[in-house]
Amino acid sequence: TSSETYEAAVLTGTPAYTVVANTSLSQVGSTQSRVATVGRRYSEGENDLSVSVGQGDIIICAMRRSTTSSSSTKYLYTDVSILLEAD
């Protein structure tokens, strides 16, 4: 069986819409890492993360395969829950 290492992280930032510049992103919590075998399901994550975001800010759930031992296509299915509360 083939296994690969995957990483997931939550990032937030304020886009620079009015200027040509990169948007600076900050990571919320820690990077989650998992060695996954094809055909199996895994549960990974963090609970109770808290971050203040302003109007227009973005929240990104980023995932990547961090190993390159295979050039074949892999499909990743994820569920993400984000609860937004106003002060």
Side-chain angles (χ1 to χ4, degrees):
T1 57
S2 174
S3 63
E4 302 282 347
T5 301
Y6 293 90
E7 295 178 339
V10 177
L11 306 153
T12 185
T14 304
Y17 292 117
T18 57
V19 295
V20 179
N22 293 331
T23 297
S24 177
L25 299 173
S26 299
Q27 185 169 329
V28 180
S30 60
T31 301
Q32 301 295 308
S33 183
R34 162 73 71 174
V35 176
T37 301
V38 172
R40 295 187 184 167
R41 292 183 182 206
Y42 300 93
S43 177
E44 200 70 44
E46 286 188 87
N47 293 321
D48 301 322
L49 295 177
S50 179
V51 65
S52 294
V53 293
Q55 182 177 350
D57 284 359
I58 57 176
I59 300 171
I60 299 172
C61 299
M63 301 193 76
R64 72 175 186 153
R65 182 175 74 182
S66 61
T67 54
T68 57
S69 59
S70 172
S71 61
S72 62
T73 300
K74 304 284 194 296
Y75 296 95
L76 208 55
Y77 298 94
T78 62
D79 290 313
V80 176
S81 297
I82 298 175
L83 173 64
L84 301 174
E85 296 179 346
D87 287 337

